[in-house]
Amino acid sequence: MQQNRITRGDSPVSIIGAGIAGAWQALLLAKAGHAVTLHERSDADLMLSTSHWAGGMLAPYCESEISEPVISRLGLASLELWRRELPDTPFNGSLVIAHARDRADYERFARRTSGYQRLDAAQLVALEPSLEGRFREGLFYPTEGHVEPRRVLPKLHQRIIEAGGVIKFNSDVTADDLEGLVIDCRGLDARDLEPELRGVKGEMILIETSEVQLARPVRLMHPRWPLYLIPRADNLFMLGATSLEAEDTGVSLRSALELLGAAYSVHPAFGEARILEFGSGLRPAYPDNLPRITIKDGHEIRVNGLYRHGFLIAPALAQATLNYVAHGQIDNEVMRCV
């Protein structure tokens, strides 16, 4: 399906929100030759952005366990864009493990996903030596990747500038303040225009230890949610992530105990790790937990509802926006015109 489109060069493009959704929109449109300005209400540290608290997993196969097929489609397309635009993105795969008591959850996860290899204990240790003697098997998803949000967002911002775009931090603007095509990527702040949005809290803990080495994200089956152990630079690990229907900030005592206890069950050396940070972010979600690109009169586009899949699907959503702007193409699964 095709609609009337913004002709290249007809007007400037202003994007509101420099988190992962807005950054990818700005990058692809700037590379396509548009005069792009990216506005962000906070400073370059993005402390007010949900992206600051994200895990950064690029795991379309693992996410398919509880997600709709459109998330897998967008996620797989996004992997190629990550590889193209940031070739140093680590694609070391993902690993799923479980204790014997959670064997049923482990097998259910295997049935609901694809793209994995079953590993026995020896193969698991060859992949992650720190887990020797801890688990008898694992599911390895070799094509998945991960990024560190607080490091990769500055890289994306630099790529935008190199492509000719402009970034304005501490710029709290609305669509009414701007001329030309406006792309609204404000997340929950867009509830003034998108009242259906709700916040889903994701909690995380950042720890430091040199006693455990992991080359890829590890998911541990858990009675309430999978625990993510995500390796970061400088002997850091992110523990996450909960999905709570709550809009308060901070990390609850219960969540902290469960996350830390689960990490300790993966390897007792985590018991000696230093806790550096507790934090939480509110993920913007529509009632169906699916993303939307809303086109209003061809001059305003709203990209929102990325839920827990922001880093996974943001590149593909940006490509869909570019396809609309350049060619009038409509992705019927994620776009709607109002």
Side-chain angles (χ1 to χ4, degrees):
M1 178 179 179
Q2 297 203 343
Q3 296 279 334
N4 293 333
R5 62 185 185 276
I6 308 291
T7 303
R8 177 174 171 174
D10 274 1
S11 63
V13 179
S14 298
I15 299 165
I16 309 174
I20 192 63
W24 270 101
Q25 296 282 327
L27 176 58
L28 295 193
L29 283 161
K31 288 195 65 177
H34 294 274
V36 169
T37 302
L38 178 61
H39 297 268
E40 170 55 43
R41 61 177 176 145
S42 64
D43 60 23
D45 289 335
L46 295 180
M47 291 293 291
L48 300 179
S49 172
T50 301
S51 297
H52 185 78
W53 308 104
M57 292 184 296
L58 311 178
Y61 292 108
C62 285
E63 288 301 315
S64 68
E65 186 240 351
I66 56 172
S67 301
E68 296 292 330
V70 63
I71 300 300
S72 297
R73 175 176 70 83
L74 294 170
L76 289 170
S78 291
L79 296 189
E80 297 308 312
L81 290 165
W82 279 107
R83 291 187 179 98
R84 186 185 81 190
E85 301 298 337
L86 278 85
D88 60 345
T89 300
F91 282 92
N92 299 327
S94 302
L95 184 63
V96 175
I97 54 177
H99 295 295
R101 65 178 179 272
D102 298 317
R103 172 79 185 188
D105 292 331
Y106 175 87
E107 289 298 337
R108 185 183 69 246
F109 193 95
R111 289 194 301 271
R112 293 182 177 180
T113 61
S114 61
Y116 61 82
Q117 303 167 7
R118 284 188 179 267
L119 306 181
D120 61 22
Q123 293 169 320
L124 181 58
V125 171
L127 201 66
E128 294 290 4
S130 287
L131 299 182
E132 184 174 7
R134 307 296 306 165
F135 300 91
R136 65 184 185 184
E137 60 186 333
L139 303 173
F140 178 45
Y141 298 77
T143 62
E144 297 188 334
H146 71 287
V147 295
E148 186 172 338
R150 298 178 192 181
R151 290 176 180 259
V152 81
L153 277 167
K155 292 182 180 180
L156 285 170
H157 293 160
Q158 183 59 36
R159 291 292 306 278
I160 293 165
I161 293 170
E162 292 169 356
V166 175
I167 304 178
K168 295 184 177 181
F169 292 104
N170 300 304
S171 178
D172 193 1
V173 296
T174 67
D176 293 337
D177 302 320
L178 304 167
E179 296 182 354
L181 174 63
V182 177
I183 302 177
D184 187 336
C185 300
R186 291 180 295 150
L188 279 181
D189 282 347
R191 281 195 287 195
D192 57 337
L193 302 174
E194 301 279 353
E196 287 184 281
L197 285 169
R198 75 188 196 283
V200 180
K201 184 167 74 167
E203 299 161 308
M204 57 83 75
I205 302 174
L206 191 66
I207 64 174
E208 178 187 24
T209 180
S210 60
E211 299 301 312
V212 182
Q213 303 293 325
L214 296 176
R216 55 193 51 79
V218 173
R219 298 187 183 214
L220 175 70
M221 293 294 96
H222 182 279
R224 287 215 299 153
W225 54 69
L227 166 76
Y228 308 139
L229 282 166
I230 306 174
R232 294 188 171 176
D234 303 320
N235 297 320
L236 302 182
F237 293 86
M238 181 194 141
L239 310 181
T242 58
S243 289
L244 303 176
E245 293 292 334
E247 295 198 11
D248 61 290
T249 58
V251 178
S252 69
L253 177 62
R254 177 178 180 178
S255 294
L257 288 172
E258 290 191 349
L259 290 173
L260 292 170
Y264 181 76
S265 78
V266 171
H267 200 295
F270 281 121
E272 304 301 320
R274 294 174 56 229
I275 298 175
L276 302 182
E277 184 179 349
F278 292 91
S280 66
L282 292 178
R283 304 146 171 166
Y286 291 108
D288 58 5
N289 293 334
L290 296 178
R292 292 182 196 170
I293 299 175
T294 303
I295 301 164
K296 182 180 178 184
D297 300 327
H299 299 288
E300 182 181 343
I301 298 175
R302 302 168 191 165
V303 181
N304 218 317
L306 278 66
Y307 185 40
R308 53 179 284 164
H309 310 298
F311 280 77
L312 175 61
I313 66 174
L317 293 177
Q319 185 65 58
T321 300
L322 177 59
N323 291 343
Y324 167 75
V325 172
H327 307 294
Q329 294 179 3
I330 295 291
D331 184 329
N332 289 312
E333 283 196 287
V334 296
M335 285 182 163
R336 65 178 188 175
C337 300
V338 297

